[in-house]
Amino acid sequence: MPRFDAVLFDLDGVLADTAHIHFAAWRRLAEELGIHLEPAFEEKLKGVDRMGSLELILAHGGPEGSVTRTAEEKRVLAERKNGYYTAAIAEQTPDDLLPGARRVLEEVRAAGLKIALASASRNAPPLLQQLGIAPLIDAIADPAAVKAPKPAPDLFLEAARLVGAVPERCLGIEDSVAGIISIKDAGMVAVGIGDPTVLTRADYVVPTTEQFHIGDFL
Ligand code: BG6
Ligand code: MG
C-alpha cells in the first residue's frame, strides 16, 4: 500500500519560476522607499504572504517604518508591489514552468495520488491557467480562507482537507523555510526544493523540481 494519498504543492519556486519575480517586485518597491534589500533577504520573504512580506521589508528599513504608516498606506504599498509582479508575469506561458514541473504532476496523477495546491499567492489561480497546469490539479487551498498564513500549518491542512486526505498520508513540497515549517507542523512529510542547509526541517531535500520523482516516495 502506498505511503501517501496526496501530494500538496507550493507554486512559486516549486512549479513556477516566479520566486525571483516576487523578490524583484519587492526590491523595486523597497528601493522606492529608500530601503535596500540585499540578495539574502529573498530567503526571508519566500512563502510569506503579501502583507507579511511588506511588514518584514518596512521593519528592515528601520524601527519606525511600520508604526508610522496607516493600514491604508500599507495596503497601497502592497498593491503597488502586486502591480509590478502581475505586470512581470502577464506573458507567462507553459514554457515558463520550472523544468520537470509538468512531468512531476503527471507522475503523481499516474500514481493515483491526489494533487492540491498550497500556495500563499493570491495570484495562483490565474497563473496555473497561464502555465497550462490547472487541469492537473484537483484542488486549490485559498490563502484568504484560512486563519493564519505560512509558517502556520493552516494552508496545508486546508489543502489536505480539500482532497480528503489525512495529514499523515500527505507529502508537502516547498522551496521556503516558512512552508517547510507549515508542512511539518501540519504533521506531514516535507520535501524541500533547494538547499538542505537552509531547509533544515525538511525530511528530504532535492536541489530542483527536476530531481523529484514520486516513485522514490512510494
Ligand atoms: C508565495 C511567495 O508563494 O506567495 C511569496 O513565495 C509571496 O514571495 C506570496 O509574497 C504571496 O503572493 P501574492 O501573489 O498573493 O502577493
Ligand atoms: Mg515557494
Side-chain angles (χ1 to χ4, degrees):
M1 202 170 129
R3 266 173 84 194
F4 299 105
D5 295 324
V7 183
L8 314 180
F9 287 90
D10 175 43
L11 177 62
D12 300 308
V14 170
L15 300 172
D17 193 7
T18 42
H20 64 99
I21 304 178
H22 275 292
F23 187 58
W26 281 126
R27 222 171 175 178
R28 180 170 167 193
L29 178 78
E31 295 295 340
E32 289 166 357
L33 300 176
I35 301 170
H36 178 67
L37 299 184
E38 49 280 4
F41 207 81
E42 180 172 357
E43 216 55 59
K44 293 194 184 138
L45 297 179
K46 280 186 190 168
V48 177
D49 74 355
R50 204 179 295 170
M51 293 313 287
S53 298
L54 178 66
E55 289 293 350
L56 288 176
I57 291 164
L58 293 177
H60 189 67
E64 22 5 274
S66 178
V67 286
T68 56
R69 286 186 170 89
T70 64
E72 176 57 15
E73 286 170 332
K74 289 179 191 175
R75 194 193 58 74
V76 170
L77 290 175
E79 195 49 48
R80 203 200 293 176
K81 177 270 175 179
N82 195 51
Y84 299 153
Y85 176 73
T86 52
I89 63 163
E91 305 298 322
Q92 291 246 328
T93 71
D95 290 341
D96 296 297
L97 280 168
L98 278 169
R102 191 177 179 93
R103 189 242 336 133
V104 167
L105 292 170
E106 287 172 347
E107 283 178 4
V108 171
R109 274 182 93 82
L113 310 185
K114 292 281 188 195
I115 296 177
L117 196 80
S119 168
S121 177
R122 264 81 166 165
N123 293 298
L127 185 55
L128 291 179
Q129 296 290 344
Q130 280 175 260
L131 296 172
I133 52 173
L136 295 170
I137 292 171
D138 297 298
I140 301 173
D142 178 2
V146 299
K147 243 193 212 151
K150 299 174 189 180
D154 306 34
L155 194 64
F156 277 92
L157 290 172
E158 172 65 0
R161 190 190 67 77
L162 289 172
V163 292
V166 293
E168 312 82 80
R169 296 185 55 83
C170 288
L171 188 65
I173 310 190
E174 259 289 352
D175 67 320
S176 70
V177 172
I180 293 289
I181 295 171
S182 308
I183 296 169
K184 291 314 298 169
D185 287 355
M188 300 171 182
V189 176
V191 175
I193 303 289
D195 180 346
T197 65
V198 175
L199 305 174
T200 52
R201 274 196 70 194
D203 298 292
Y204 308 91
V205 179
V206 292
T208 68
T209 303
E210 182 98 87
Q211 275 88 42
F212 177 82
H213 297 274
I214 191 63
D216 298 342
F217 296 88
L218 300 178

